[in-house]
Amino acid sequence: MGTKYGNIAHDLREAIAQGEYLPGSTLPPITELMQRYGVARDTVRDAIGLLTNEGLVIPKRGIGTVVREVDPVSLTYSPSSPAGTWQVQTTGAGKDTVEEAGWEAADLDVAHRLGIAAGEQVVHRVRHFVKGHGVAQISEQWVPKHIVEAIKANGGGDLADASNRADVEKNLFELMTEAGHAPVNAEESLSTRMPDPQERDTMDVPPGVPVLVTRRVTTEAGSKPVETTTAIGAGDRMSATFKVPLKY
Amino acid sequence: MGTKYGNIAHDLREAIAQGEYLPGSTLPPITELMQRYGVARDTVRDAIGLLTNEGLVIPKRGIGTVVREVDPVSLTYSPSSPAGTWQVQTTGAGKDTVEEAGWEAADLDVAHRLGIAAGEQVVHRVRHFVKGHGVAQISEQWVPKHIVEAIKANGGGDLADASNRADVEKNLFELMTEAGHAPVNAEESLSTRMPDPQERDTMDVPPGVPVLVTRRVTTEAGSKPVETTTAIGAGDRMSATFKVPLKY
DNA sequence: GAGTGGTCTAGACCACCAA
DNA sequence: TGGTGGTCTAGACCACTCT
């Protein structure tokens, strides 16, 4: 025998998998599980804690331990992904909001990604992708000075102004193209980790749900970077889809 | 004030961020934290539990609560770049092993992805990508019957035989091409979630580390699927990189 | 008010690791 | 052997949700 709470968690996990407890319904109350297994309250809570951290259930005060809805990713059988593979695919329509915008000095990481020196001025834009009742993705974008100035000179507006939503409504990449800096390539790197408390708060991520981290560098002709982005997406509300041409 | 354990976790989190506790070193012992904050043992453990689930620390019996190493960028590899999707990593990054192979009836999900009827026979191949200290990715692949037979008729070997590593050493996509079913497109969908106990065991994933889920459908001319794959990768040992050509 | 989960205590014993 | 974290108990009180 392993641990008591491990065994209890195993039983509950199996029961959920067998459909004994359907998504949206609740597990037996702690008190009942205490009696059924003849253990103390904290032992049951440890078991539920395991399931919570696996993303299977969400305990709710006054309600019960609710079984989570099934992975929404299984719904992504939809027609075809939107043009531009850098777009994020979610299970529904969403809206972009610009939270912040302004000049700042590039840190080491951003400078490296943009191929500039650390400390050089860049425009930093923070956007939220709102879907349904909450933020599904936090996006931080950095644009080098000469690109910002080129767009401004071309009548594309000031990217350092948060109230300027031109890049959102018209697509920043189009503005770059019109300004003579057409992006031709994007390299995206995806990874995953658990959210920090701030991210968990902003996106209202339940316990047991990780985030999808996307780091992108977009380049124009000559492999010169025109922007770089780091996006943090709630793992229960989004996935990223890529269409890749193969050469064989 | 929030909760006691929440405050303690906050303090420790800040301290780690400030570099007071370096990766690889340990936090103060539970007993010391009990005295410092004047709380019970379980309260300290609750605080450490939070940090553990955030992937910041890993408690080790007899050792202490160890601060986790940050993932170096050099540890990432690109399982999904157009040229390297199925090629053996020649950079010494890792090694592919075939764990299982055989015929089975396609379930609803696989059938849908392959554009066939549920219950039709497909070859199911399970592979492990071994890297560093253990399995970094579990890969499940399904190939429709007519493709398997075409490869076999063309002298490419039997994909249903686990000891047949032709597809690994020579690249399955090349075998398909030689057999008249050249793959021309792949659509990959990436998402993330927490690992189940079996995955955690197989890949030796520490607590607080999610997995990266890659679902791919590869198609030949006419958008006919030639294979589909679901890969589960340990979030602390891999990332996926895509290079995407843009049209603006 | 009744029932749910959340926090916290004080103490006990066990399992693991290093010196 | 001494110190570390892991498990478990019995009980208390708090916070929240629903009827």
Side-chain angles (χ1 to χ4, degrees):
Chain A
M1 152 184 160
T3 60
K4 286 187 181 179
Y5 73 86
N7 294 336
I8 298 173
H10 178 266
D11 287 356
L12 295 173
R13 197 184 291 115
E14 294 279 296
I16 292 173
Q18 298 300 320
E20 290 182 40
Y21 305 109
L22 297 176
S25 69
T26 60
L27 262 41
I30 291 180
T31 48
E32 183 182 327
L33 292 174
M34 286 170 62
Q35 294 173 14
R36 182 186 302 182
Y37 287 96
V39 297
R41 175 189 178 85
D42 278 10
T43 302
V44 173
R45 291 201 72 249
D46 283 346
I48 293 176
L50 283 183
L51 304 183
T52 304
N53 291 328
E54 289 170 15
L56 287 178
V57 301
I58 302 179
K60 294 185 179 179
R61 250 196 276 223
I63 304 287
T65 305
V66 181
V67 179
R68 276 200 33 211
E69 302 293 340
V70 201
D71 196 357
V73 173
S74 57
L75 302 177
T76 50
Y77 287 131
S78 35
S80 58
S81 63
T85 40
W86 54 278
Q87 290 264 358
V88 183
Q89 210 176 42
T90 63
T91 52
K95 190 173 63 177
D96 245 334
T97 66
V98 180
E99 299 294 314
E100 303 170 30
W103 291 96
E104 72 175 28
D107 64 19
L108 268 177
D109 182 38
V110 167
H112 186 251
R113 285 152 73 177
L114 289 178
I116 62 178
E120 282 191 33
Q121 289 293 303
V122 293
V123 161
H124 179 206
R125 297 177 66 84
V126 179
R127 293 178 305 169
H128 286 179
F129 185 76
V130 181
K131 183 215 149 196
H133 291 304
V135 180
Q137 189 181 48
I138 304 169
S139 183
E140 287 192 272
Q141 183 178 45
W142 294 268
V143 183
K145 191 176 181 182
H146 70 281
I147 299 293
V148 176
E149 290 173 342
I151 290 177
K152 194 171 184 179
N154 198 59
D158 187 359
L159 296 184
D161 182 358
S163 65
N164 179 355
R165 294 177 37 82
D167 56 327
V168 174
E169 290 162 13
K170 199 180 179 185
N171 193 322
L172 174 59
F173 286 6
E174 287 180 8
L175 292 179
M176 287 176 172
T177 302
E178 292 167 4
H181 293 278
V184 296
N185 203 46
E187 179 163 330
E188 300 211 351
S189 193
L190 285 86
S191 58
T192 182
R193 59 171 170 77
M194 294 308 284
D196 63 33
Q198 190 194 38
E199 293 163 346
R200 184 165 280 166
D201 184 60
T202 301
M203 298 191 286
D204 196 24
V205 181
V209 172
V211 291
L212 196 59
V213 181
T214 307
R215 286 161 52 100
R216 175 182 65 225
V217 177
T218 308
T219 51
E220 61 181 325
S223 295
K224 288 179 291 185
V226 292
E227 71 93 26
T228 187
T229 296
T230 295
I232 312 294
D236 60 345
R237 268 166 288 169
M238 64 163 281
S239 65
T241 300
F242 295 85
K243 286 190 174 181
V244 183
L246 302 176
K247 305 166 196 168
Y248 284 92
Chain B
M1 151 186 161
T3 60
K4 287 187 180 179
Y5 74 85
N7 293 334
I8 297 173
H10 179 266
D11 286 357
L12 294 173
R13 198 183 290 115
E14 294 278 297
I16 291 172
Q18 298 300 317
E20 290 182 38
Y21 305 109
L22 297 176
S25 69
T26 60
L27 262 41
I30 291 181
T31 48
E32 184 182 326
L33 292 173
M34 286 169 64
Q35 295 173 13
R36 182 187 300 181
Y37 288 97
V39 298
R41 176 190 177 83
D42 277 10
T43 302
V44 171
R45 290 201 72 250
D46 284 345
I48 292 176
L50 282 183
L51 304 182
T52 303
N53 291 329
E54 289 169 17
L56 286 178
V57 301
I58 302 178
K60 294 186 178 178
R61 249 190 262 208
I63 304 286
T65 305
V66 182
V67 179
R68 273 195 42 205
E69 305 285 345
V70 190
D71 308 326
V73 179
S74 59
L75 280 185
T76 66
Y77 80 117
S78 310
S80 309
S81 63
T85 303
W86 287 101
Q87 290 179 355
V88 177
Q89 302 293 317
T90 53
T91 55
K95 188 172 61 177
D96 246 334
T97 66
V98 179
E99 299 294 314
E100 303 171 29
W103 292 96
E104 71 175 29
D107 64 18
L108 268 176
D109 183 38
V110 167
H112 192 178
R113 284 152 73 178
L114 288 178
I116 62 178
E120 282 190 33
Q121 289 292 304
V122 293
V123 162
H124 180 204
R125 297 177 67 85
V126 179
R127 296 179 306 164
H128 286 177
F129 185 76
V130 181
K131 180 188 165 193
H133 299 305
V135 179
Q137 190 179 53
I138 303 169
S139 183
E140 287 191 272
Q141 182 179 46
W142 295 268
V143 184
K145 190 176 182 182
H146 70 281
I147 299 293
V148 176
E149 290 173 343
I151 290 176
K152 195 171 184 179
N154 199 58
D158 187 0
L159 295 183
D161 182 357
S163 65
N164 179 357
R165 294 178 37 81
D167 55 327
V168 175
E169 289 161 12
K170 199 181 178 183
N171 194 322
L172 175 58
F173 285 8
E174 286 180 8
L175 293 179
M176 287 177 172
T177 302
E178 292 167 4
H181 293 279
V184 296
N185 206 338
E187 178 164 329
E188 303 213 351
S189 191
L190 285 87
S191 59
T192 182
R193 59 171 171 77
M194 294 307 283
D196 63 33
Q198 190 193 38
E199 293 163 346
R200 184 166 281 164
D201 184 60
T202 301
M203 298 191 286
D204 196 26
V205 180
V209 173
V211 291
L212 196 59
V213 182
T214 307
R215 289 158 54 98
R216 175 181 60 231
V217 176
T218 308
T219 50
E220 62 180 325
S223 297
K224 287 179 290 186
V226 292
E227 70 93 27
T228 188
T229 295
T230 297
I232 313 293
D236 59 344
R237 269 165 287 169
M238 64 164 286
S239 65
T241 301
F242 295 84
K243 289 188 178 179
V244 183
L246 302 175
K247 303 167 195 167
Y248 284 93

